């Protein structure tokens, strides 16, 4: 495992992600992409690196170079703590919908930032609405 893979392994261990797949889903990436990066077989493009850093709550500079601390709390001498997922029911909805909605719908749902986590049924209804809108805008 290369240095980038080691930092991603650190994220998995310290940021509360239960699996590579959960981290990938939170960042809008594929689990295979994360696995390849972990194994040193692939790097991260700019978009993927930004999405991964944002999803994990780490500084982009640290993720890419290993320089400095993972986050501002670490820079100040504090101990990094896992960031709680503010939308666990959205992640549950995405897991239930996996394979049944097109990737643009799942990506759009991940971008939703309501002031609080919605009930699971509301996330599922929102995904259905986004799928309807996608079909309406992509009709020839």
């Amino acid at each position: 495992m290369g240095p980038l893979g080691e930092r991603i392994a650190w994220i998995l261990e310290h940021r509360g992600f239960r699996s590579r797949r959960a981290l990938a889903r939170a960042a809008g990436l594929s689990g295979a992409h994360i696995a390849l990066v972990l194994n040193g077989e692939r790097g991260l493009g700019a978009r993927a690196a930004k999405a991964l850093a944002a999803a994990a709550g780490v500084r982009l500079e640290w993720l890419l170079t290993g320089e400095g601390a993972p986050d501002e709390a670490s820079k100040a001498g504090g101990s990094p703590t896992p960031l709680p997922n503010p939308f666990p029911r959205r992640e549950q909805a995405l897991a239930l919908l996996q394979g049944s909605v097109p990737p643009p719908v799942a990506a759009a749902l991940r971008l939703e930032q309501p002031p609080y986590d919605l009930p699971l049924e509301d996330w599922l209804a929102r995904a259905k609405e986004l799928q309807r809108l996608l079909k309406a805008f992509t009709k020839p």
Side-chain angles (χ1 to χ4, degrees):
M1 181 182 316
L4 179 57
E6 290 171 9
R7 288 188 293 281
I8 292 176
W10 183 93
I11 288 169
L12 289 168
E13 182 179 339
H14 292 92
R15 292 298 192 212
F17 291 98
R18 294 183 180 166
S19 66
R20 293 185 309 236
R21 190 176 196 179
L23 174 59
R25 204 172 26 245
L29 304 171
S30 73
H33 189 156
I34 297 294
L36 290 170
V37 173
L38 270 168
N39 293 332
E41 299 173 34
R42 185 172 182 180
L44 285 175
R47 184 195 70 77
K50 287 178 185 176
L52 189 59
V58 298
R59 292 176 41 251
L60 181 59
E61 177 186 7
W62 174 83
L63 177 63
L64 293 174
T65 67
E67 294 178 12
D71 56 25
E72 294 302 319
S74 296
K75 275 175 85 171
S79 171
T81 56
L83 296 176
N85 182 345
F87 306 111
R89 288 184 288 250
R90 176 179 63 193
E91 295 307 315
Q92 185 180 8
L94 285 165
L96 289 170
L97 294 167
Q98 191 170 11
S100 65
V101 296
V105 170
L109 197 64
R110 279 189 196 92
L111 293 174
E112 302 259 334
Q113 298 289 321
Y116 55 88
D117 194 17
L118 303 173
L120 178 61
E121 297 79 19
D122 290 357
W123 283 115
L124 294 171
R126 182 63 182 145
K128 185 176 181 179
E129 176 66 10
L130 289 169
Q131 191 166 9
R132 186 191 66 75
L133 290 170
L134 178 66
K135 284 181 184 177
F137 283 106
T138 57
K139 278 189 178 176

